[in-house]
């Protein structure tokens, strides 16, 4: 039995401690050692999300070195890990982010390992969608991402500006590839991963923060309204008591 470990579900985002009923791991030795990998096996690992509203299955297969121990073979060093479920590293994004932006982000994540260049292009497209939607670029100012970025330049911190610029220029490598087939600039998976990470930062810094701010302001407004109506109620009550006292007073006199 494996010792409990901390884990974050990629489907629902919840962090939790995983214990054995929600976890399974099995090693199967491959009965040939004639490939250039030598003694190998596969390690199948499965986690069922304990959040009952989610209950998604996280599944991966690892190609492992097989290590001989007295009477059995056990899993050694990982040579490669193949995540099967979920299909990518995409983090769940809230539904108040437009569906087209979430779809571009998820696709950039999905093709990241197999085609970093296509992933970078998709991250760039996602960036343009975010800039247009979040900053409300008017129709007559839309077109070229560079011009759209200049339109909002004053609004951005130098840090954000540099980060966005990186996504744009690396994404351009993929997007304009067809124009000159002799120019071959490759995008590594690690670089594409950085771009996806920047998209995640923008989604969180802009959309999530704005949503939180709106919610906070709404709660404050409700609180102010509640206090005001409580004050009004108290005033009416005290006026009513005052009127009653007045009546009592007049009764006492008579
Ligand atoms: Zn979950």
């Amino acid at each position: 039995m494996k010792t409990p470990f901390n884990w974050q579900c990629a489907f629902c985002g919840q962090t939790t401690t995983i214990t054995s009923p929600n976890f399974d791991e099995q090693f199967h030795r491959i009965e040939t050692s004639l490939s250039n990998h030598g003694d190998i096996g596969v390690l199948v690992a499965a986690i069922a999300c304990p959040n009952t509203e989610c209950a998604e299955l996280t599944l991966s297969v690892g190609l492992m070195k097989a290590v001989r121990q007295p009477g059995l073979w056990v899993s050694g060093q990982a040579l490669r890990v193949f995540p099967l479920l979920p299909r990518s590293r995409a983090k769940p994004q809230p539904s108040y982010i437009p569906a087209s932006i979430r779809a571009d982000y998820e696709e950039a994540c999905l093709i990241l390992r197999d085609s970093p260049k296509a992933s970078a292009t998709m991250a760039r497209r996602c960036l343009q969608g975010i800039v247009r939607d979040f900053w409300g670029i008017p129709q007559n100012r839309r077109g070229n991402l560079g011009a759209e970025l200049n339109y909002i330049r004053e609004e951005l911190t130098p840090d954000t500006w540099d980060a966005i610029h990186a996504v744009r220029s690396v994404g351009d490598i993929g997007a304009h590839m067809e124009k000159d087939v002799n120019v071959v600039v490759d995008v590594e998976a690690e670089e594409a991963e950085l771009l996806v990470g920047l998209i995640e930062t923008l989604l969180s810094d802009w959309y999530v923060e704005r949503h939180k701010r709106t919610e906070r302001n709404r709660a404050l407004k409700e609180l102010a309204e509640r206090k005001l109506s409580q004050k009004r109620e108290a005033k009416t009550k005290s006026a009513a008591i005052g009127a009653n006292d007045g009546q009592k007073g007049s009764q006492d006199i008579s």
Side-chain angles (χ1 to χ4, degrees):
M1 201 155 62
K2 198 173 160 81
T3 43
F5 58 96
N6 289 331
W7 171 82
Q8 186 181 24
C9 177
F11 291 98
C12 68
Q14 220 170 80
T15 306
T16 170
T17 304
I18 296 296
T19 53
S20 62
N22 289 75
F23 179 73
D24 181 42
E25 192 176 67
Q26 288 186 47
F27 181 67
H28 170 83
R29 188 195 161 223
I30 292 171
E31 298 284 333
T32 174
S33 54
L34 296 179
S35 83
N36 54 12
H37 294 300
D39 290 317
I40 49 168
V42 287
L43 185 70
V44 179
I47 299 173
C49 180
N51 171 8
T52 48
E53 280 169 24
C54 170
E56 288 286 350
L57 179 71
T58 297
L59 184 67
S60 72
V61 173
L63 175 61
M64 321 294 283
K65 276 275 175 199
V67 180
R68 190 201 286 274
Q69 279 188 359
L72 80 166
W73 287 88
V74 296
S75 165
Q77 180 206 348
L79 299 171
R80 231 186 128 177
V81 178
F82 303 90
L84 300 179
L85 294 171
R87 287 179 62 211
S88 82
R89 52 151 281 162
K91 291 184 184 140
Q93 297 296 338
S95 57
Y96 52 75
I97 295 176
S100 61
I101 292 174
R102 280 183 282 142
D104 283 352
Y105 160 70
E106 277 158 23
E107 196 171 336
C109 291
L110 194 61
I111 54 183
L112 207 156
R113 289 277 143 208
D114 292 331
S115 177
K117 201 184 278 185
S119 171
T121 311
M122 195 48 74
R124 182 193 183 279
R125 189 173 112 148
C126 188
L127 169 70
Q128 187 158 26
I130 293 172
V131 167
R132 283 181 176 179
D133 174 71
F134 188 85
W135 295 99
I137 307 282
Q139 282 297 340
N140 60 353
R141 302 301 289 261
R142 290 188 181 189
N144 175 300
L145 178 58
E148 289 173 10
L149 284 173
N150 278 330
Y151 185 72
I152 60 162
R153 182 162 193 168
E154 300 290 299
E155 314 274 353
L156 308 176
T157 61
D159 256 10
T160 311
W161 174 261
D162 289 347
I164 286 177
H165 219 72
V167 176
R168 187 190 151 208
S169 52
V170 181
D172 278 347
I173 294 171
H176 304 312
M177 194 172 54
E178 309 81 21
K179 282 189 187 159
D180 186 353
V181 286
N182 295 316
V183 181
V184 180
V185 183
D186 259 331
V187 179
E188 301 295 326
E190 290 71 30
E191 293 165 337
E193 191 130 10
L194 269 175
L195 302 193
V196 164
L198 286 171
I199 294 294
E200 284 166 354
T201 306
L202 290 183
L203 292 179
S204 140
D205 284 1
W206 291 356
Y207 285 97
V208 178
E209 282 310 308
R210 180 176 68 182
H211 183 76
K212 276 190 200 158
R213 209 163 45 236
T214 312
E215 290 292 293
R216 232 175 6 239
N217 289 347
R218 202 171 51 93
L220 273 175
K221 213 176 134 198
E222 275 172 16
L223 175 73
E225 274 164 10
R226 208 160 52 236
K227 288 291 151 202
L228 199 69
S229 80
Q230 276 171 4
K231 204 169 140 189
R232 269 198 221 106
E233 236 168 69
K235 242 185 198 166
T236 327
K237 224 181 244 168
S238 81
I241 292 169
N244 276 343
D245 283 353
Q247 267 179 6
K248 251 187 216 157
S250 62
Q251 273 166 7
D252 283 346
I253 289 167
S254 67

